Amino acid sequence: MITKPTELDVEAVREQFPIFRRTIRGKQLIYLDSAATSQKPQSVIDAEREFYERYNANVHRGAYRIAEEATAAYEAAREKIARFLNAPSKECIVFTRGTTEAINLVAYSWGWANLKEGDEILLTEMEHHSNIVPWQLIAQRTGAKIKVVPITDDGLLDMDAFERLLTEQVKIVAVTHVSNVLGTINPVREICQKAHEVGAVVLVDGAQAAPHLPVDVQAIGCDFYALSGHKMCGPTGSGALYGRKELLEAMPPFMGGGEMIRTVTFERTTFNEVPYKFEAGTPPIAQAIALGVAVDFLTSIGMEQIRAHEVELTSYALERLQEVSGITIYGSAPPEQRGGVIAFNLNDIHPHDLATFLDAHGICIRAGHHCAQPLMRRLNVAATARASFYLYNTPDEIDALVEALKEAAKFFGR
Ligand code: PLP
């Protein structure tokens, strides 16, 4: 029997986010851009402030009380992220500044060491630039080639094409868990299984998944998983890379500097153990600690509850948006297979004009190419508007979006 997660008390959730007390031009702030960055609860804001007020010190080097406190809190945050992702141990978690840095780490470290001419890197048509450009840079240096899995007209990955493209030449598959434009949730478990059959490793870009769904890296079976703290109620400048420990151990360092070494002479350097080998220099300490608090916050609510809330909101939004004549929604994955992201255009109104119009109603949406220009080309558009939802959004806010879009259509005379 499937037990339904208990319903989220959205009002109680919202009370924990001070920003929602703000008004914009006399209107209540309606934030529908969490795919870009999420808002932060009071506990996360307090955690960062408390670090600076009470135990600001560098980690892993001080022999005094507050340095020990800082190190303990920093390592506890690593442990929390490991548990959140069901990673086998905290040594599999490298702190990064976000998904972009995590993917660059894998591309430069794993990619440079393992790719050569004749090898292939398999990406998909729905990747964010963060999961395209690092691979292009590495392909140029190593002679490896990039191949791309197309999407179907429904905005799903074309799995037949994936199987055709997945030859023994493919050494790494880099795929987004959830598309930041179409909202599509990709079958990452199946992708990992198939990729492993040909001996390829898999990097999953979890920027749009880790904040919204329960993620279990062992069940997925991925080799690397990247996430951004700022999209999951944590601070900017925080993020993480999960990597299988054997892989991380075999990989060369990404950046050189303090903290990532064991011994240094002018002739030779030996490196620290994982994950420290990948954390050169002073890390964003307050941010990592506060990311741990964000993980506590999400866990205390329950990722199943958050997911269920977003499925409901997205279904409601998809239904209500149909009332807006002239709207085109990109991607038609069913709610169970999509995250809380809806990209759309309204007649030929430029998405930036639409976003500016909505801003006058206190509604924040994103407009542009969403760092996914190849996908825009596939969809045959230069840009789209995008509304994205999180645990703090309500059906009333979707109603406000729909009414404002109807007004926009009248205002622009379309
Ligand atoms: N991947 C996806 C799917 C994203 O949506 C984003 C950000 O929007 C990124 C990667 C990059 O994340 P960050 O800018 O936090 O490094």
Side-chain angles (χ1 to χ4, degrees):
M1 195 183 81
I2 300 168
T3 50
K4 203 169 175 252
T6 50
E7 220 165 272
L8 201 74
D9 181 351
V10 189
E11 278 320 307
V13 166
R14 287 176 70 83
E15 271 171 27
Q16 300 186 53
F17 288 78
I19 202 163
F20 294 129
R21 295 199 272 278
R22 221 193 129 173
T23 52
I24 302 287
R25 297 186 193 92
K27 301 221 161 68
Q28 219 187 330
L29 172 69
I30 297 182
Y31 187 72
L32 301 178
D33 197 18
S34 294
T37 195
S38 74
Q39 296 303 341
K40 322 299 175 202
Q42 191 68 54
S43 59
V44 169
I45 298 166
D46 289 348
E48 240 191 292
R49 200 192 54 237
E50 194 187 326
F51 171 76
Y52 292 119
E53 284 180 356
R54 293 189 44 81
Y55 60 105
N56 173 45
N58 216 324
V59 288
H60 302 136
R61 45 196 99 172
Y64 44 87
R65 171 76 176 263
I66 58 170
E68 281 164 13
E69 287 176 5
T71 303
Y74 182 75
E75 289 305 318
R78 193 191 307 277
E79 182 84 50
K80 289 175 192 180
I81 295 165
R83 253 181 278 130
F84 185 69
L85 298 176
N86 193 32
S89 73
K90 79 180 180 83
E91 287 74 35
C92 303
I93 303 297
V94 180
F95 279 121
T96 65
R97 283 182 297 124
T99 301
T100 303
E101 186 177 298
I103 297 174
N104 274 275
L105 190 164
V106 177
Y108 280 90
S109 170
W110 184 92
W112 213 332
N114 289 283
L115 294 171
K116 57 179 187 331
E117 206 160 333
D119 289 344
E120 291 176 1
I121 301 163
L122 194 53
L123 308 179
T124 86
E125 216 168 12
M126 65 170 89
E127 297 312 312
H128 187 281
H129 297 163
S130 293
N131 204 21
I132 300 174
V133 183
W135 298 111
Q136 280 174 341
L137 295 172
I138 282 310
Q140 282 159 13
R141 284 165 171 80
T142 58
K145 258 211 190 92
I146 290 178
K147 292 264 169 87
V148 182
V149 182
I151 60 166
T152 64
D153 291 339
D154 291 339
L156 303 176
L157 263 194
D158 181 340
M159 290 302 284
D160 293 335
F162 169 68
E163 293 200 29
R164 277 197 303 279
L165 288 162
L166 189 65
T167 62
E168 304 245 311
Q169 277 67 53
V170 175
K171 296 295 178 271
I172 185 158
V173 178
V175 58
T176 193
H177 195 167
V178 175
S179 161
N180 66 316
V181 176
L182 305 164
T184 310
I185 302 176
N186 287 318
V188 284
R189 193 174 176 157
E190 183 187 343
I191 289 172
C192 290
Q193 258 169 11
K194 300 213 156 113
H196 289 160
E197 281 167 20
V198 301
V201 298
V202 181
L203 175 141
V204 178
D205 170 349
Q208 299 295 345
H212 304 281
L213 338 158
V215 171
D216 180 334
V217 288
Q218 295 188 75
I220 293 171
C222 56
D223 302 282
F224 301 105
Y225 196 95
L227 60 83
S228 294
H230 71 95
K231 294 188 199 285
M232 48 191 276
C233 298
T236 51
S238 69
L241 171 72
Y242 157 79
R244 276 203 296 115
K245 198 166 167 211
E246 320 81 86
L247 284 177
L248 292 177
E249 278 171 345
M251 282 157 53
F254 169 42
M255 290 193 287
E259 193 52 26
M260 49 75 72
I261 56 91
R262 209 186 294 275
T263 60
V264 180
T265 65
F266 278 110
E267 290 70 38
R268 183 166 179 268
T269 294
T270 58
F271 303 117
N272 206 340
E273 60 204 12
V274 296
Y276 310 108
K277 179 171 74 175
F278 295 108
E279 292 179 7
T282 299
I285 305 166
Q287 290 78 358
I289 293 170
L291 173 57
V293 174
V295 164
D296 290 340
F297 171 77
L298 294 174
T299 312
S300 72
I301 290 165
M303 293 309 293
E304 296 281 359
Q305 273 76 4
I306 293 171
R307 170 72 186 137
H309 176 67
E310 289 181 26
V311 169
E312 262 177 41
L313 274 183
T314 310
S315 305
Y316 181 65
L318 286 168
E319 189 190 308
R320 283 235 50 204
L321 285 169
Q322 297 306 328
E323 288 172 28
V324 182
S325 81
I327 199 164
T328 306
I329 292 172
Y330 300 96
S332 49
E336 325 76 71
Q337 237 180 302
R338 82 184 284 161
V341 176
I342 301 178
F344 61 92
N345 271 317
L346 183 52
N347 295 317
D348 59 352
I349 304 172
H350 194 284
H352 283 134
D353 291 339
L354 207 49
T356 307
F357 184 88
L358 294 181
D359 177 52
H361 290 68
I363 302 174
C364 313
I365 61 154
R366 174 84 184 265
H369 54 61
H370 315 295
C371 298
Q373 287 183 358
L375 179 57
M376 294 292 115
R377 234 162 270 131
R378 167 65 172 87
L379 299 174
N380 217 4
V381 290
T384 79
R386 180 186 72 183
S388 53
F389 316 123
Y390 206 7
L391 73 167
Y392 36 65
N393 291 120
T394 66
D396 289 351
E397 293 178 318
I398 288 164
D399 292 341
L401 170 71
V402 170
E403 295 315 316
L405 287 174
K406 287 180 186 168
E407 272 184 45
K410 268 194 226 140
F411 177 83
F412 289 103
R414 321 269 164 83

